[in-house]
Amino acid sequence: MGPLLDIRHLIMIRAIADCGRVTDAAERLGLTPSALSHRIREAERRLDVQLFTRMHKRLRMTPAAEHLASVAERVLGELDRAEDDLRRMNSGVQHVVRLAVEAYSAYHWLPGFLDKLKATRPGIDLQVMAGAGRDLGQALANRHVDLALVSGEAALSGTYRIGLFEDELLFIMPPNHRHADKPYIEGPDIVGETFITFARTPQPDREFARLFRPAESYPTWASTVELPEAIVELVAAGQGTSVLSAWALRAPLADGRITATRLGTEGISVPWFAAIRAEEAATGPIIQTARALEDWCRARGGLC
């Protein structure tokens, strides 16, 4: 007996999960709404389970459909990546390692590291996975990402980590800010500051726990902006201050759009790691790439 569903049904379920409406999903798939509705009924008949209910002209997924949507994301992602891998192999690439970076999109270090990787491991190609930084644990588990650059002491479940470097957190502000000439920021300095953060939940090893809370001094929380690059632009425009990792601030600090100073007299640093799936830690191109990145960071003192 063959499978009850085929690839068309998985594509359909992912499209509906993304779009929510039959008309929008049908347009994405190149179908009429009636044809898509027929395909939904066909899938429900084959499985003998309800996949969707209608609510205010939208399709609401049942738990069965949510499970299939998760499966579809993994299966279709693997197919897309397999096709991409085959195209790369035609050009002499034997292995593709997919990289994502937690929170930041600063890749000034990437060209130099790629040159080093190609010189030492010519059969490995590196692919940057944009948009995967929000839930790297899930991205690693689903094999959407092979190697993740992550920070902090808390390890992602099911991963093996390699220490890369320690990086200082910096308080960033516009160049004309009242604290621009200070060698460091103390707790009372932060009181009343308009503060923009990219993390909705304060992290235990960052500025909240190590500077704000001990001094019982807090800024005025302005907004949560999930893109550090957008935070930099807001700070440069004088719309707030923030705390970000020094390694990712190289370009805006160099061009003078913002300025930065330390957090406290001793500064606050956090460790950065290369995280891979635990089962990949023994051998293979993923651990080889992680070790190459470890060597790269050790030689330069970080991502330079």
Side-chain angles (χ1 to χ4, degrees):
M1 179 178 177
L4 296 176
L5 298 182
D6 57 33
I7 195 69
R8 295 177 307 149
H9 295 110
L10 294 181
I11 294 172
M12 171 195 75
I13 289 168
R14 184 171 70 170
I16 296 172
D18 290 344
C19 299
R21 293 165 51 94
V22 170
T23 52
D24 296 337
E27 183 178 354
R28 175 187 287 193
L29 297 172
L31 300 172
T32 64
S34 61
L36 181 56
S37 296
H38 174 75
R39 191 171 291 182
I40 292 171
R41 290 193 297 271
E42 178 191 16
E44 291 177 328
R45 177 184 59 80
R46 289 191 182 191
L47 294 170
D48 193 24
V49 66
Q50 187 175 13
L51 296 175
F52 303 97
T53 58
R54 288 186 179 272
M55 179 176 290
H56 304 301
K57 297 183 179 181
R58 296 184 66 85
L59 287 177
R60 184 173 183 176
M61 302 174 72
T62 66
E66 289 176 352
H67 174 69
L68 284 175
S70 177
V71 172
E73 184 70 24
R74 294 197 302 271
V75 171
L76 297 174
E78 282 296 316
L79 286 175
D80 290 342
R81 288 188 287 277
E83 291 178 1
D84 188 53
D85 288 350
L86 289 174
R87 286 192 291 270
R88 288 170 180 260
M89 288 174 187
N90 265 343
S91 61
V93 174
Q94 298 171 356
H95 305 284
V96 178
V97 176
R98 298 169 184 87
L99 168 83
V101 180
E102 172 191 280
Y104 296 97
S105 299
Y107 290 100
H108 53 272
W109 54 273
L110 186 60
F113 175 65
L114 278 176
D115 287 343
K116 181 70 173 179
L117 186 67
K118 290 177 181 178
T120 56
R121 295 168 178 84
I124 298 176
D125 191 21
L126 202 62
Q127 181 179 0
V128 176
M129 306 302 291
R134 291 185 180 179
D135 191 349
L136 287 175
Q138 188 66 30
L140 283 164
N142 288 346
R143 298 183 179 274
H144 181 62
V145 166
D146 300 312
L147 192 161
L149 270 62
V150 297
S151 66
E153 295 293 350
L156 299 172
S157 177
T159 63
Y160 175 80
R161 299 194 309 171
I162 297 172
L164 298 178
F165 59 94
E166 288 271 337
D167 188 69
E168 188 169 11
L169 298 176
L170 296 178
F171 180 81
I172 63 171
M173 53 198 146
N176 60 351
H177 192 274
R178 62 192 177 98
H179 293 322
D181 295 329
K182 282 182 172 286
Y184 55 86
I185 291 293
E186 296 183 289
D189 296 327
I190 204 77
V191 175
E193 285 294 329
T194 302
F195 195 76
I196 307 167
T197 179
F198 70 84
R200 290 191 178 97
T201 304
Q203 296 166 293
D205 57 351
R206 314 296 164 111
E207 67 276 6
F208 184 89
R210 295 172 62 181
L211 180 66
F212 302 165
R213 187 185 294 154
E216 296 186 351
S217 302
Y218 300 95
T220 300
W221 303 98
S223 58
T224 300
V225 178
E226 293 187 353
L227 287 174
E229 294 80 5
I231 292 176
V232 167
E233 295 304 324
L234 292 172
V235 170
Q239 296 185 23
T241 58
S242 188
V243 171
L244 296 174
S245 285
W247 74 264
L249 294 171
R250 176 178 172 179
L253 286 173
D255 64 24
R257 287 185 295 132
I258 61 170
T259 189
T261 192
R262 308 184 78 187
L263 295 172
T265 57
E266 302 298 322
I268 297 176
S269 294
V270 294
W272 281 79
F273 299 87
I276 65 175
R277 289 178 291 277
E279 64 265 26
E280 308 280 1
T283 186
I286 296 174
I287 185 65
Q288 290 173 14
T289 304
R291 291 297 183 193
L293 188 57
E294 177 188 26
D295 293 341
W296 171 267
C297 291
R298 183 184 295 118
R300 289 158 182 77
L303 284 179
C304 299

